[in-house]
Amino acid sequence: MKKSTLLTLLALVIGLQLAIPAGMILRREYVLSHGRAFKFRVGPVDPHDPFRGRYVALRFAQNSVAIPPGLTIRRNQTVHVLLGEDDNGFAIFTGLQLTRPKSDPYLTTRVNSAYSGNAILRLPFDRFYMDEKSAPTAEIVARNSLADTNRPTYAEVRISRGFAVLADLYVADRPIREVLAAP
């Protein structure tokens, strides 16, 4: 093979290796800046991932949706969940379908299990990463706020065309980092 052909192939491979992560980053940034914000009620715990660091793991108050009559759903199946908001402005799942909806808002996700007419969903935004020192304190603050119904704890998730990005974690309508920084 000619040297110029090898250099061209090498340049294409390097370009592809840079384009894939750049595309992933740009997609997340697009959703953060243009996606519609939804508030999901949460209940946290604080695990540790040796490869990715400290995070606040989030359990969501609603993680299931009714399966429409006549629709068969199986484990790990990709579904599109329609979104709405309750009277308090928190996100709720209003429907489920197998085909991509023609309009927003909807979330594309997978099914963990399906039984009794409900699909239990695998929500793609269940980890809120923080620095090593802040995550344990954030977990305690968030857990304590769950006992106080006047201080809602929720995750702000931005969603655009089915893709979701966890933007921030809120305690008493303030970002968790702001709560931790307060004296």
Side-chain angles (χ1 to χ4, degrees):
M1 221 175 211
K2 292 183 181 180
K3 186 175 181 178
S4 63
T5 305
L6 285 174
L7 288 174
T8 302
L9 284 174
L10 179 63
L12 286 173
V13 168
I14 290 171
L16 185 62
Q17 287 179 334
L18 293 173
I20 291 172
M24 293 168 67
I25 291 168
L26 289 173
R27 182 178 187 190
R28 291 181 61 83
E29 290 301 318
Y30 176 83
V31 172
L32 282 172
S33 63
H34 295 90
R36 181 171 168 192
F38 286 91
K39 299 186 306 187
F40 286 84
R41 291 184 189 272
V42 299
V45 295
D46 182 34
H48 174 74
D49 184 329
F51 297 105
R52 292 182 276 192
R54 284 284 216 183
Y55 61 91
V56 178
L58 305 171
R59 291 185 318 261
F60 293 90
Q62 183 184 13
N63 69 344
S64 66
V65 64
I67 299 172
L71 192 63
T72 302
I73 300 292
R74 63 185 188 287
R75 182 175 167 79
N76 291 325
Q77 184 171 10
T78 299
V79 294
H80 307 282
V81 183
L82 305 176
L83 294 163
E85 292 179 335
D86 66 13
D87 294 337
N88 296 316
F90 288 96
I92 55 172
F93 301 132
T94 60
L96 176 132
Q97 55 190 67
L98 298 178
T99 58
R100 185 177 303 270
K102 292 185 179 175
S103 63
D104 275 334
Y106 68 93
L107 171 66
T108 301
T109 189
R110 292 190 178 269
V111 174
N112 263 344
S113 62
Y115 63 91
S116 300
N118 287 309
I120 308 301
L121 305 172
R122 184 179 310 143
L123 299 177
F125 42 81
D126 63 349
R127 293 180 178 191
F128 183 69
Y129 287 93
M130 299 186 75
D131 64 78
E132 292 286 322
K133 293 180 182 175
S134 298
T137 307
E139 189 271 332
I140 291 167
V141 168
R143 186 178 345 117
N144 291 340
S145 76
L146 290 173
D148 183 356
T149 56
N150 294 324
R151 297 178 55 188
T153 301
Y154 60 90
E156 179 186 291
V157 179
R158 299 252 173 196
I159 300 175
S160 177
R161 290 182 252 152
F163 188 73
V165 176
L166 178 56
D168 212 339
L169 179 62
Y170 284 80
V171 173
D173 292 320
R174 292 176 46 208
I176 190 72
R177 288 181 180 90
E178 184 181 305
V179 172
L180 296 176

